[in-house]
Amino acid sequence: MSKVVSLCCTLLFLCSNLLQADDAGWALFDRVQSSVKKYNFDSSFVVFKGGQVETFRWQHGRKGDKEIEHLVPLDAEGVDILRRDGVVYYFLTDRPALVTISDSIKELPAILFQDSQQIKQLYTAVLGSSSVMSGHTAQLLRLSANDTSRHSYWLWVEAESGFPLRIDVMSEQQAPLERWLVTHMQISPELPDNLQRLLDSELPEPASRQTGAVLPVNQLELTWLPDGYQLVSDPHIVPQLQQSLLGYWLLTDGLHQVSVFVQPTQRMPTQAYRDGATTIYMLSAPQHDITVIGPVSINVAERLAAAVR
C-alpha cells in the first residue's frame, strides 16, 4: 500500500512540475506577442524558405492610441507594406495602392499576432535552454503541436525584452521547414521620425469589401476535416478563378489556413511537393482535379483531397 501511495505522490509531483513548466512557457509566449505590439523598434530579418532567401526591414511604433507598422523588402524590388491601426496598405510601383482591413500584416509570422487562447488549444509550450544569438541572450520556447495535422514552432526570445529573434517552423520529424531570423533589432523610447511622417500622411480609405466570386451549384462535399479545423463560412474567392472552379473550401484552425480547390480534370499526374512549410498536393481524378494548399503534412493533404465526394 505504501508503494502505491509513494507512486501516486511521485506522479502528482511530476504532473505539477509539467503544469508549472507549461505555464512558464505560455507566460513567455504572451511576452513575445506583447513585445511586437508595444515597443517602438527598428529591425531587419531574413526568411529562409525552401531554396529562397528574403530580407526585410521591419519597423513598429506607438503614439498615444495610434499604432503604425512598416515592412519593406531589402534585397529586391517588392511591395512596400504599411499598417496604421486596422488598415493595411500595399504600395506597388506605378499602380494604385491596395488597401485592406487587418490588425496585422500577413507577411509577418502569424504566430506573433493570432489569438493566444486559440493557439494554446493547439499547442503545448515547453521552455528550452538559453543561448546567445546576435549578441542577445535568447531563451528557447518550443510550441509542440498537440496532433500531427499541424507543424510545431521553435521560438528564440530575447530574454530582456521578450522580442522574437528567431522562429523555426518544424516538420513532423522536427526538422526546420522555414526559418525567420532577426539580424538587427533596436528598441527605442521615441517614435522614429519616418514613422511619425507616415502616421501623419494622407492615405486612401479602404474600399468596402467586395463579394467573392460565386461558385456554380454542384453536389461536391468535403467529408473530412483535420482536428481543430473548421470551414470558413464565406471565403473570398479570387474572381479570376471563378470560371475554372467546380468547388472550393477554406479551412482554418485560428492560426493556419488550408485551401481545397476542385477544377476540371487536366489529366495531370498526381503530385505533391513542399514550398517551405506549405504543402501543395494535386490529386488527378477521372472527372476533376483536386488541389490542397496549406501548412499541413502531405498525409493530411492526401486525406483532404480524398475527402472530396
Side-chain angles (χ1 to χ4, degrees):
M1 184 68 177
S2 61
K3 290 183 178 179
V4 173
V5 172
S6 176
L7 179 60
C8 290
C9 290
T10 301
L11 291 174
L12 287 171
F13 176 76
L14 291 174
C15 290
S16 175
N17 284 347
L18 287 173
L19 289 172
Q20 290 177 8
D22 193 54
D23 289 344
W26 287 122
L28 180 59
F29 182 73
D30 288 340
R31 285 188 66 205
V32 173
Q33 287 202 320
S34 175
S35 71
V36 297
K37 300 290 288 183
K38 72 177 183 179
Y39 289 127
N40 299 319
F41 62 80
D42 188 344
S43 68
S44 300
F45 65 83
V46 181
V47 178
F48 302 90
K49 182 179 180 181
Q52 298 181 336
V53 180
E54 297 178 305
T55 306
F56 297 86
R57 183 184 183 188
W58 178 26
Q59 290 183 286
H60 176 273
R62 302 193 73 100
K63 187 171 185 180
D65 60 349
K66 299 293 184 181
E67 184 182 11
I68 188 164
E69 194 167 32
H70 196 202
L71 183 65
V72 183
L74 294 180
D75 52 0
E77 290 187 5
V79 181
D80 192 340
I81 307 173
L82 176 68
R83 180 177 67 86
R84 293 201 310 198
D85 296 325
V87 182
V88 179
Y89 304 85
Y90 292 83
F91 298 102
L92 301 92
T93 305
D94 300 326
R95 293 178 59 185
L98 173 64
V99 188
T100 63
I101 303 295
S102 179
D103 291 327
S104 63
I105 295 174
K106 67 180 181 64
E107 286 74 14
L108 294 169
I111 195 77
L112 300 177
F113 304 100
Q114 296 302 315
D115 179 62
S116 64
Q117 294 304 313
Q118 181 67 35
I119 294 172
K120 290 173 184 178
Q121 295 179 24
L122 306 175
Y123 292 91
T124 299
V126 180
L127 292 176
S129 59
S130 297
S131 59
V132 176
M133 186 174 295
S134 301
H136 302 274
T137 300
Q139 170 69 56
L140 173 60
L141 172 63
R142 296 188 182 95
L143 298 185
S144 299
N146 294 334
D147 62 71
T148 58
S149 66
R150 57 186 55 82
H151 303 312
S152 296
Y153 293 85
W154 288 18
L155 293 81
W156 282 262
V157 183
E158 209 273 329
E160 182 177 352
S161 65
F163 195 85
L165 297 175
R166 172 176 158 184
I167 302 173
D168 284 5
V169 185
M170 309 298 288
S171 71
E172 308 92 279
Q173 293 76 33
Q174 299 304 300
L177 297 169
E178 290 184 16
R179 176 166 296 164
W180 180 91
L181 178 65
V182 169
T183 56
H184 163 78
M185 185 270 291
Q186 183 176 2
I187 295 174
S188 61
E190 302 296 331
L191 186 69
D193 291 340
N194 67 315
L195 289 187
Q196 181 64 63
R197 290 192 294 271
L198 290 171
L199 194 61
D200 295 336
S201 62
E202 292 288 336
L203 294 174
E205 293 294 326
S208 58
R209 184 180 185 274
Q210 295 181 351
T211 303
V214 178
L215 291 174
V217 177
N218 64 78
Q219 302 301 315
L220 294 174
E221 292 183 282
L222 186 63
T223 60
W224 175 81
L225 300 178
D227 289 342
Y229 279 87
Q230 296 179 338
L231 289 174
V232 175
S233 59
D234 183 25
H236 183 75
I237 304 167
V238 178
Q240 288 83 347
L241 293 176
Q242 181 180 8
Q243 298 300 321
S244 63
L245 283 181
L246 301 176
Y248 173 64
W249 298 271
L250 180 64
L251 292 62
T252 182
D253 63 359
L255 176 62
H256 313 100
Q257 290 189 337
V258 181
S259 296
V260 181
F261 301 91
V262 183
Q263 297 170 289
T265 183
Q266 299 294 317
R267 304 193 184 280
M268 300 290 288
T270 295
Q271 52 191 306
Y273 59 95
R274 271 180 164 162
D275 180 20
T278 301
T279 291
I280 303 172
Y281 177 78
M282 293 173 284
L283 173 66
S284 182
Q287 300 300 321
H288 48 250
D289 293 340
I290 304 164
T291 304
V292 179
I293 303 175
V296 293
S297 68
I298 292 177
N299 288 339
V300 170
E302 288 176 342
R303 190 171 176 185
L304 271 171
V308 176
R309 299 281 193 271

